[in-house]
Amino acid sequence: MASVTPMFSILRRAAPRLTRSFFKCHHACRPSPAHHSSKRLFGSTSVRSSDGILSKPGIVSSFPQRIGSTQASLKNRTRYFPDTSDKSVAYWLLGSAASVFGIVVFGGLTRLTESGFVASLERTSPVLTIFRLSITEWRPVTGSLPPRDAADWDAEFAKYRSSPEFKLLNPHMTLDEFKSIYYMEWTHRIWGRLVGMSFLLPAAYFIARRKVSAPMAGRIIGIAGLIGFQGFLGWWMVKSGLKDDLFAPGSHPRVSQYRLTAHLGTAFLCYTAMLWNGLATLREHKLLADPQQASKLFERLKSPELRLFRRSVGALGVLVFCTALSGGLVAGLDAGLIYNEFPYMGLGLTPPKSELFSDFYSHTPDKSDIWWRNPLENPSLVQLDHRILATTTFTSVMGLWAYTKLSPTLRKMLPAACKKGMHGVVGFVCLQVALGISTLLYLVPLPLASAHQAGALALLSSVVILGGRTWVPRRAASLVSQRLVQSRPVLAKRGT
């Protein structure tokens, strides 16, 4: 019996204490949810329950604030790009434009050297050497390195010897002469690859880091596509000079003037797009720095008195671009090597009609295509067209400049920046006309011809700069209006 007593004491200590709280239903003692929810639904900001717990604000009273905060967060998430592009984007675009300017001039050198003569040390007679088709293959990746040893040079030279250009124009070219023209064309191609890489990689960085606005991102992507298309056009142009039909008697191995003009025109478009967007970004920052002054400038530029001047600047840009394209046709057909006099062409201001619209260039039995083939394939008419376009451009620029000087309204309304831009256009067009006439009179020497091509880009640049100062950018005007609206409450608080 004594041994059983300690066992009961152990069990008693191990058993739970059955107090009143053990049998109490805690869930039933909690306050009713409907009681508190009804008070929260109808505007009670705080409700004290039977347990003394302070409830949270009501659902209905905080509903508008919750909706507003949700909309604001969604708006911030959907606005991936900022309102304005960073200034570094503008400087990058201007640097890319300068690189395109350089490659266009260098590409003209590779094309224009066909009019030069290379005298061999073993021959006394000059040999006409064309520097444009030395690389007969298009290898965007593996072609980045030049030949490294004698075997590679012999292989490249063998490919060139099988081309129509070597057999018909340069049959006496040596390996050393081939190396000089090869390196010139190879440099042009490598420069083109560098232009593409120096644009694509920063473009991806700026877009990923949200350094550009949404419209600028679309323009940058468009320019990148244009650069890729330009590379394709370059090879498409070179390929036209490697066709087997150029071996026919009487054929002159040269690249197609159509493809050359397309290649040149695309380069001009790339350059213009880069220059325009770079300058527009810098101008946008300058205008947003002082919205009130920018608003006054926009009102001044939108005045009806300047409408004719604004439209004239746009038409002038199109005219300069078309004149440059006609220059591409002149270069493709070697039309600058005939009628090396100015202003006459032979016995008169124009050649005879029979020469300008010759049946020789027709490809149809009924001769119905002479009206469009001669302006594009007849060197005499192509040069005449270029003279007419150049003279029209010069006359238009001088007429627009006289309009800004003689019109009292324009002298009063035109901003000072537009007047300076107009003076720049006048200076470049005079320089370009002098270079063009000198190039023609001296039988297309390499320095003058290269300067004439660079002058075309410089003239187009001056017109683009004038247009940027004359036209009202819609996006910048919208941002300026938003800044003015945002600044009004601040000004009202300062006034009170």
Side-chain angles (χ1 to χ4, degrees):
M1 189 69 180
S3 61
V4 178
T5 304
M7 184 181 298
F8 279 106
S9 63
I10 294 173
L11 291 176
R12 184 178 179 182
R13 286 195 297 268
R17 294 182 180 273
L18 303 179
T19 61
R20 292 182 179 180
S21 61
F22 182 82
F23 297 97
K24 185 178 180 179
C25 182
H26 295 278
H27 182 74
C29 294
R30 290 180 182 177
S32 174
H35 175 72
H36 293 287
S37 62
S38 61
K39 291 185 179 181
R40 284 201 298 264
L41 284 173
F42 296 100
S44 177
T45 57
S46 62
V47 179
R48 188 172 298 275
S49 64
S50 59
D51 292 340
I53 301 174
L54 192 65
S55 63
K56 296 181 180 180
I59 299 176
V60 174
S61 60
S62 62
F63 192 69
Q65 290 82 353
R66 294 184 181 183
I67 293 178
S69 61
T70 304
Q71 291 178 349
S73 61
L74 291 175
K75 186 177 181 181
N76 293 331
R77 290 180 182 178
T78 55
R79 181 181 291 180
Y80 184 85
F81 297 103
D83 291 333
T84 59
S85 301
D86 194 78
K87 281 189 176 182
S88 59
V89 177
Y91 298 138
W92 161 66
L93 286 172
L94 294 178
S96 300
S99 182
V100 173
F101 188 102
I103 195 175
V104 169
V105 176
F106 189 80
L109 288 175
T110 61
R111 172 63 185 80
L112 292 168
T113 43
E114 69 167 342
S115 59
F117 292 88
V118 177
S120 174
L121 296 177
E122 293 138 357
R123 297 184 299 271
T124 57
S125 60
V127 179
L128 182 64
T129 307
I130 302 179
F131 285 20
R132 61 187 176 211
L133 300 176
S134 56
I135 304 178
T136 58
E137 294 178 340
W138 191 41
R139 295 173 295 176
V141 179
T142 59
S144 300
L145 297 177
R148 292 171 292 181
D149 50 22
D152 292 341
W153 279 112
D154 290 337
E156 291 294 330
F157 193 31
K159 296 175 185 177
Y160 178 70
R161 287 198 301 267
S162 63
S163 66
E165 183 178 285
F166 177 84
K167 293 183 179 297
L168 299 180
L169 296 179
N170 305 320
H172 303 289
M173 177 179 285
T174 64
L175 180 59
D176 292 335
E177 293 171 347
F178 171 74
K179 288 181 179 181
S180 64
I181 68 174
Y182 185 96
Y183 276 122
M184 178 169 283
E185 187 171 354
W186 176 81
T187 303
H188 180 66
R189 294 193 180 191
I190 291 299
W191 196 339
R193 292 183 176 95
L194 290 177
V195 168
M197 295 302 297
S198 63
F199 190 87
L200 291 177
L201 296 180
Y205 170 78
F206 286 131
I207 293 176
R209 298 295 296 176
R210 308 182 187 183
K211 298 286 186 179
V212 297
S213 62
M216 183 61 69
R219 295 170 194 169
I220 288 175
I221 294 174
I223 296 174
L226 201 59
I227 292 175
F229 182 64
Q230 171 73 349
F232 166 76
L233 284 180
W235 168 244
W236 188 55
M237 175 192 68
V238 171
K239 190 177 180 180
S240 65
L242 303 173
K243 294 181 179 179
D244 293 336
D245 56 1
L246 296 176
F247 287 107
S251 299
H252 183 77
R254 62 158 64 99
V255 297
S256 169
Q257 73 274 17
Y258 298 108
R259 302 185 185 186
L260 174 65
T261 305
H263 187 54
L264 179 67
T266 308
F268 272 54
L269 287 178
C270 284
Y271 171 78
T272 304
M274 294 174 180
L275 179 65
W276 174 265
N277 287 287
L279 294 176
T281 302
L282 292 179
R283 188 190 184 199
E284 191 173 271
H285 280 274
K286 183 178 180 180
L287 293 172
L288 292 178
D290 191 355
Q292 293 183 351
Q293 190 66 25
S295 179
K296 294 179 182 179
L297 177 62
F298 289 159
E299 292 297 330
R300 190 175 180 182
L301 291 176
K302 289 180 181 179
S303 61
E305 291 81 0
L306 298 181
R307 183 179 303 166
L308 179 60
F309 182 79
R310 293 195 305 268
R311 294 179 178 178
S312 300
V313 173
L316 185 60
V318 175
L319 184 59
V320 171
F321 182 76
C322 292
T323 306
L325 292 184
S326 70
L329 291 175
V330 171
L333 294 172
D334 298 327
L337 300 177
I338 60 175
Y339 293 113
N340 300 103
E341 52 188 343
F342 189 85
Y344 295 100
M345 297 181 68
L347 299 178
L349 294 176
T350 63
K353 183 179 179 180
S354 59
E355 180 181 349
L356 295 177
F357 295 94
S358 175
D359 297 340
F360 175 78
Y361 300 96
S362 177
H363 292 182
T364 57
D366 58 353
K367 311 297 181 183
S368 60
D369 58 344
I370 63 173
W371 302 105
W372 69 267
R373 285 194 179 273
N374 277 278
L376 299 175
E377 301 179 3
N378 186 347
S380 299
L381 187 53
V382 167
Q383 187 190 126
L384 178 61
D385 291 341
H386 187 61
R387 290 189 181 203
I388 293 174
L389 285 172
T391 305
T392 305
T393 302
F394 176 77
T395 306
S396 301
V397 170
M398 301 308 294
L400 188 60
W401 175 70
Y403 176 55
T404 60
K405 292 293 183 181
L406 300 179
S407 173
T409 304
L410 213 60
R411 285 204 311 267
K412 179 181 178 181
M413 296 293 299
L414 196 64
C418 297
K419 295 178 181 179
K420 293 180 181 179
M422 190 70 239
H423 293 161
V425 174
V426 170
F428 278 113
V429 77
C430 292
L431 177 62
Q432 180 68 351
V433 168
L435 288 173
I437 296 175
S438 301
T439 303
L440 184 66
L441 295 179
Y442 289 97
L443 295 174
V444 197
L446 183 59
L448 284 177
S450 180
H452 185 52
Q453 185 174 12
L457 265 180
L459 177 59
L460 182 62
S461 303
S462 64
V463 177
V464 169
I465 294 173
L466 176 61
R469 297 176 178 181
T470 304
W471 302 323
V472 178
R474 296 181 180 178
R475 180 172 177 79
S478 177
L479 292 176
V480 167
S481 300
Q482 294 177 9
R483 294 290 177 88
L484 289 176
V485 172
Q486 294 173 1
S487 63
R488 285 174 184 172
V490 178
L491 294 177
K493 291 181 180 179
R494 291 180 180 178
T496 56

